Amino acid sequence: MTDSSTSSKNGVNVDLFFIPLSDISLPQTSLAQSWLSDDELEKVRRYRDPKAQIKGLQVRAALRAVLSRYADLSPHEWCFEYGAKGKPSLMAKLQQQTGLEFNLSHSGDWLLIGVAQFDGVESGLFGVDIERSRPKTDIYPILNHYFSPQETAALLALADEASQRQRFFDLWALKESYIKATGLGLAQSLKSFAFELKPFEQLAAESLELSCQDTGLRQACGVASMLNVYPHIPLQIPLQIQIHTLDLTDSLHWQTHFGRLTEEYRFAISLAHAGNAALPITLTAQLSSIEVLLADY
């Protein structure tokens, strides 16, 4: 899928990897552990729940396996650094060598890894999020704390509680992708910016092919071969936020995409670069199992 309503000669390629997290064999667990650095292994051990430890291990191993598709580096050779609020990125030397920006998110049993390559611009900001709709979450007390007045009013104007609940998690995914792109995390008030997410029947959807070589995996996950993606979700930022990771004093141009993986899961992408014009975005998506990613190595 290519976003064609842009005026810049530069561009960005974004690849999305949707990975269902499931049990893996002991040999694969050992392989994944062998890829991780000592500090990563220590972070995994800090989880008290054994299931959380396994997921933490799989998330980190899957990221390394995905990145190795883009460079002549083995999964264990990737080195990361972390921003002041914990945003992971490649160490400067590796980023300059590969030109890769990445972000990842996991919710429930799904992991989303996004890899971005900016062409013609020095660097950009990039964040992704995947969110599961939680039927037991009491969304209404949360609205006034984390949503802008405009977002709250638009949500409450929807016809029924089911629609309002879906919209809540749709907006939450968009907001999370934005603060993950800035790297400021929850140090940035979620009420300091707002997305104008109209009802889907009023939005122009684009089709995104979700490639998958395993028909059985697609059926087991209950995902379609084509996803509806909604680009150009308007973002309102009253005050320009200084984001030191880019060392920029110029204003940033933001581009956001939103989509549904299933009825239960939705995802969002936020991109920014210094400039006044939108960048052409080439977007791809792939469904892959954690077993296949590990088996490639």
Side-chain angles (χ1 to χ4, degrees):
M1 187 190 86
T2 301
D3 180 350
S4 58
S5 60
T6 51
S7 58
S8 172
K9 294 181 180 179
N10 304 320
V12 56
N13 294 324
V14 176
D15 300 324
L16 302 177
F17 295 84
F18 293 94
I19 305 162
L21 299 176
S22 59
D23 293 335
I24 57 176
S25 66
L26 286 177
Q28 287 181 317
T29 299
S30 298
L31 176 63
Q33 291 172 332
S34 72
W35 291 351
L36 271 58
S37 63
D38 290 341
D39 67 303
E40 287 178 304
L41 289 171
E42 180 58 31
K43 289 177 181 177
V44 169
R45 294 190 191 102
R46 289 176 192 166
Y47 293 113
R48 294 184 177 181
D49 184 355
K51 291 183 179 179
Q53 289 184 354
I54 292 297
K55 283 189 177 180
L57 175 65
Q58 291 181 0
V59 166
R60 289 166 173 81
L63 172 62
R64 289 172 172 272
V66 165
L67 290 174
S68 288
R69 296 186 173 193
Y70 293 86
D72 189 20
L73 291 169
S74 298
H76 72 274
E77 294 181 282
W78 296 96
C79 298
F80 306 103
E81 57 188 15
Y82 300 87
K85 302 301 178 182
K87 181 181 181 179
S89 60
L90 293 177
M91 294 194 71
K93 183 177 180 180
L94 279 177
Q95 202 285 326
Q96 293 171 2
Q97 176 184 339
T98 63
L100 299 177
E101 301 282 350
F102 74 87
N103 200 239
L104 68 166
S105 171
H106 60 97
S107 179
D109 293 324
W110 280 96
L111 167 65
L112 170 59
I113 297 175
V115 179
Q117 296 172 288
F118 289 84
D119 183 19
V121 293
E122 286 190 12
S123 59
L125 300 177
F126 177 54
V128 301
D129 191 64
I130 186 167
E131 287 291 334
R132 177 172 61 92
S133 177
R134 300 169 180 85
K136 295 184 179 180
T137 299
D138 187 358
I139 66 172
Y140 299 103
I142 301 174
L143 294 176
N144 291 332
H145 291 287
Y146 297 109
F147 283 31
S148 71
Q150 306 98 301
E151 291 169 329
T152 298
L155 183 150
L156 294 177
L158 296 176
D160 52 53
E161 181 180 349
S163 300
Q164 293 174 5
R165 180 173 296 278
Q166 290 288 358
R167 178 56 50 88
F168 174 90
F169 288 105
D170 294 344
L171 284 169
W172 195 269
L174 283 163
K175 285 175 156 305
E176 282 280 349
S177 72
Y178 173 77
I179 64 173
K180 292 179 71 178
T182 65
L184 300 177
L186 291 176
Q188 178 180 352
S189 170
L190 292 179
K191 297 178 70 172
S192 66
F193 59 96
F195 284 97
E196 183 184 346
L197 185 58
K198 297 179 180 179
F200 293 132
E201 58 269 18
Q202 299 178 26
L203 296 175
E206 298 184 1
S207 294
L208 174 64
E209 181 183 2
L210 181 63
S211 64
C212 180
Q213 297 180 350
D214 186 345
T215 304
L217 175 65
R218 186 191 300 280
Q219 293 175 344
C221 294
V223 294
S225 59
M226 301 296 292
L227 304 177
N228 283 335
V229 175
Y230 303 90
H232 316 304
I233 306 298
L235 169 63
Q236 300 172 3
I237 311 174
L239 298 175
Q240 181 61 40
I241 299 170
Q242 296 297 319
I243 302 172
H244 302 291
T245 53
L246 280 183
D247 292 327
L248 296 172
T249 56
D250 301 328
S251 62
L252 296 173
H253 187 95
W254 285 92
Q255 294 168 256
T256 57
H257 287 58
F258 172 84
R260 286 271 179 84
L261 179 64
T262 65
E263 186 66 21
E264 186 179 12
Y265 286 88
R266 70 271 296 125
F267 61 94
I269 308 158
S270 289
L271 290 160
H273 71 103
N276 298 317
L279 291 175
I281 298 174
T282 300
L283 186 62
T284 71
Q286 181 178 136
L287 174 65
S288 181
S289 68
I290 185 69
E291 294 88 349
V292 168
L293 288 173
L294 293 171
D296 284 344
Y297 303 93

